[in-house]
Amino acid sequence: MTTIAVIGPGAIGGTLAAWLAQDPALQVIVCARTPLDDLVIETPHGTITAKPVVLTRPDDAPVVDWVLVATKTYDVEATGPWLRQLVGQGTRVAIVQNGVEQVRLFQHLVPAEQLVPVIINLPAARSAPGRIVQQRKGFIWAPDGDNGAALVALFGQTEIEAVVAPDFVSRAWIKLCGNCGAIVPTLTLRATGPVWTDDLEAIVRGVAEECAAVGRAEGAVIGQDVVEGTVEMARSMADETRVSSIHADRLAGNRMEIDARNGVIVRLGEQHGIATPMNKVLVTLLAASGSPWVK
Ligand SMILES: NC(=O)c1ccc[n+]([C@@H]2O[C@H](COP(=O)([O-])OP(=O)(O)OC[C@H]3O[C@@H](n4cnc5c(N)ncnc54)[C@H](OP(=O)(O)O)[C@@H]3O)[C@@H](O)[C@H]2O)c1
């Protein structure tokens, strides 16, 4: 029996835990901040349920074969007490978070060779503890190699399509290029399509161009089509109800993943000597937008 602990049973962690719990060869433990009784996930493949072991105290956690970290990126430090209990010498730790710094953010908590960065495309929303709607089919990418292959194997019995990405760095940066433009509607609180102008296009394009430039300096291969795709996505965004997670977090008054989505472009840009004025201005404005949170 392979043991898997999921830290953070929110929209992503809850959905992954429920899918993995469908496989009788896997024992799933949920490490929660807010207690929950069970998981009920409405998926495109039907409703799935699971009743995993739920722990709320790190001291109760055993050493496991796998840990999946699915907290928001600003909650890295809060996972420390869990990781200290759950991780042994043979434990692999998958970081299922947006951004491009999954390994960098956790390597002071777990030896880098045990970390498995993960890119996930799986739109999901939580309405209450353990109650989640998975809106579309889920896809997961892990780096090529033994750790990535082992992660892919974990999802073999689920409806989530997990694959290794031979060029994981590019995959991560291409996703960030797609995500970084969402800072604009998060600031204006309006879908971009209805207010599209040449000036707005210049802002969205600038944000994406800067992301691509920094990503290339980090070793990613990013074609101009990726930038054009971000602009096109923003241009055609007509629906005020289908907002990105950062926009939804601002609407809900939640803390936002500003640093992982746009701040990182500014920080790494500075390291590479690449100017990122568009991202810097928008990050500064969003951080000062009335939310008590600065990241
Ligand atoms: N949702 C999506 O559609 C989606 C898609 C792709 C990628 N992502 C990325 O996936 C990551 C997770 O996002 P999400 O939407 O799943 O966030 P979420 O719904 O807010 O879930 C985060 C979970 O982490 C828990 N948590 C925080 N600190 C904890 C701690 N110390 N111990 C245990 N649990 C803790 C939270 O607890 P509480 O229950 O107390 O809040 C919550 O259950 C983010 O990086 C996000 O950008 C999300």
Side-chain angles (χ1 to χ4, degrees):
M1 179 78 81
T2 300
T3 49
I4 306 172
V6 178
I7 306 177
I12 292 293
T15 303
L16 297 184
W19 274 117
L20 292 169
Q22 308 302 305
D23 182 344
L26 307 177
Q27 191 203 351
V28 177
I29 300 169
V30 162
C31 301
R33 180 171 62 182
T34 304
L36 60 138
D37 294 328
D38 55 6
L39 294 164
V40 180
I41 320 293
E42 290 173 44
T43 84
H45 318 274
T47 300
I48 58 170
T49 61
K51 208 167 171 42
V53 172
V54 177
L55 303 178
T56 54
R57 286 167 21 102
D59 284 352
D60 296 336
V63 172
V64 292
D65 298 313
W66 272 97
V67 179
L68 270 53
V69 178
T71 61
K72 289 280 179 69
T73 49
Y74 47 71
D75 274 328
V76 170
E77 294 311 322
T79 65
W82 288 111
L83 291 168
R84 277 193 282 283
Q85 291 292 121
L86 291 163
V87 177
Q89 279 191 345
T91 306
R92 288 170 165 132
V93 181
I95 309 299
V96 192
Q97 293 182 331
N98 267 340
V100 292
E101 296 187 296
Q102 292 94 344
V103 171
R104 206 174 287 158
L105 291 177
F106 281 87
Q107 60 190 0
H108 65 297
L109 296 171
V110 177
E113 62 275 14
Q114 288 172 255
L115 287 169
V116 189
V118 172
I119 302 297
I120 186 162
N121 273 5
L122 188 158
R126 177 175 57 154
S127 56
R131 300 295 177 269
I132 298 161
V133 177
Q134 178 193 336
Q135 288 135 357
R136 291 198 292 282
K137 182 178 167 64
F139 296 87
I140 278 177
W141 290 268
D144 215 351
D146 290 348
N147 284 344
L151 182 91
V152 166
L154 275 190
F155 286 90
Q157 300 302 312
T158 74
E159 292 288 346
I160 293 172
E161 203 168 313
V163 293
V164 293
D167 185 355
F168 185 81
V169 172
S170 299
R171 169 66 60 181
W173 276 94
I174 287 169
K175 178 160 189 198
L176 190 67
C177 283
N179 278 345
C180 66
I183 194 168
V184 174
T186 305
L187 270 163
T188 61
L189 296 175
R190 291 210 56 189
T192 39
V195 291
W196 198 253
T197 60
D198 287 350
D199 287 343
L200 195 64
E201 175 162 330
I203 294 172
V204 173
R205 183 178 294 281
V207 167
E209 293 273 18
E210 289 172 8
C211 182
V214 176
R216 289 179 193 123
E218 286 278 300
V221 178
I222 305 171
Q224 185 59 22
D225 58 313
V226 174
V227 173
E228 298 306 330
T230 302
V231 174
E232 193 45 46
M233 195 163 54
R235 194 200 320 264
S236 58
M237 182 197 186
D239 189 344
E240 307 274 356
T241 62
R242 287 173 63 100
V243 301
S244 67
S245 64
I246 188 168
H247 188 164
D249 281 336
R250 182 166 185 226
L251 289 174
N254 294 337
R255 191 170 176 175
M256 295 174 275
E257 290 182 308
I258 304 174
D259 187 65
R261 297 176 69 119
N262 296 88
V264 62
I265 299 167
V266 179
R267 281 190 288 108
L268 297 182
E270 278 166 10
Q271 284 179 21
H272 290 288
I274 297 171
T276 57
M278 288 288 182
N279 279 280
K280 190 162 188 173
V281 166
L282 299 186
V283 163
T284 305
L285 287 175
L286 188 54
S289 66
S291 159
W293 309 107
V294 291
K295 282 191 173 180

